[in-house]
Amino acid sequence: MRTIIVGGGKVGFYLAKTLLEQEHSVVIIEQDKEQCHFCANNLDAEVSCGDGTSGDTLRACGAEEADAVIAVMVLLLTPISAILATVIAKKSAKEYNKLWEEYDAIYAYAEETYGGIETVKNFGMESGRLEEYTKISARLADISKKANFLSSLVQPVVGFVNHVS
């Protein structure tokens, strides 16, 4: 069985070693020149120093005839993506909690004003009530923008981290 392993770091090296022990044909593609030399000197495998995401490199290493192509570098980036997504989600959740508190405040204020509309009109409090309602509404808009912005960051950040590989 011919296997191409993209990434000759610790995981890729030991995966190649295990496959070689089982008499598989192994090709390692690694970008780091020092790691390429290490793999070449310590394994009985073909080692190519290049970009494993490049179609030309993969074709040159025989990916079209290979039984399996394994990219092990993604394994290292998955925890980073998960951590970043969790951090962003926690911050976003805090903002959404603030958002719901402001919604409660504006609903209560509107209900209080509407329920006592006769009192508000009799004492000429319309402008003061409107001013307070506008302040609450502005806070609500600001918190809403921040919460939506934070929650919209998750996909691009995770995508960027995964693209780095």
Side-chain angles (χ1 to χ4, degrees), residues 81-115:
S81 296
I83 290 167
L84 288 173
T86 301
V87 168
I88 294 169
K90 283 182 180 180
K91 289 182 185 252
S92 178
K94 286 180 185 177
E95 292 303 316
Y96 277 109
N97 286 338
K98 289 179 190 175
L99 182 66
W100 286 111
E101 288 172 10
E102 286 298 318
Y103 274 129
D104 286 346
I106 204 164
Y107 291 147
Y109 196 78
E111 181 66 30
E112 179 183 299
T113 301
Y114 181 72

Side-chain angles (χ1 to χ4, degrees), residues 5-157:
I5 300 173
V6 180
K10 287 181 181 180
V11 175
F13 176 84
Y14 286 106
L15 177 59
K17 186 175 178 180
T18 302
L19 290 172
L20 288 167
E21 288 170 358
Q22 297 176 7
E23 299 181 12
H24 290 264
S25 172
V26 176
V27 178
I28 297 175
I29 303 173
E30 171 59 48
Q31 284 185 319
D32 183 84
K33 289 182 182 187
E34 287 182 28
Q35 193 63 32
C36 280
H37 292 297
F38 177 80
C39 290
N41 292 333
N42 293 290
L43 295 171
D44 187 24
E46 182 183 333
V47 178
S48 175
C49 197
D51 180 5
T53 63
S54 164
D56 293 335
T57 303
L58 290 167
R59 276 188 289 283
C61 292
E64 292 167 346
E65 295 85 30
D67 296 303
V69 177
I70 302 170
V72 294
M73 64 200 122
V74 174
L75 296 174
L76 302 175
L77 295 176
T78 301
I80 294 170
S81 296
I83 290 167
L84 288 173
T86 301
V87 168
I88 294 169
K90 283 182 180 180
K91 289 182 185 252
S92 178
K94 286 180 185 177
E95 292 303 316
Y96 277 109
N97 286 338
K98 289 179 190 175
L99 182 66
W100 286 111
E101 288 172 10
E102 286 298 318
Y103 274 129
D104 286 346
I106 204 164
Y107 291 147
Y109 196 78
E111 181 66 30
E112 179 183 299
T113 301
Y114 181 72
I117 195 71
E118 293 298 322
T119 305
V120 169
K121 284 185 177 183
N122 287 338
F123 288 98
M125 298 168 43
E126 291 104 333
S127 63
R129 298 299 280 185
L130 181 60
E131 187 178 312
E132 182 63 25
Y133 184 84
T134 304
K135 286 179 187 177
I136 295 171
S137 184
R139 283 195 316 261
L140 184 64
D142 289 342
I143 293 169
S144 178
K145 286 178 191 174
K146 188 173 181 181
N148 289 329
F149 173 75
L150 284 171
S151 65
S152 70
L153 282 179
V154 173
Q155 196 280 329
V157 168

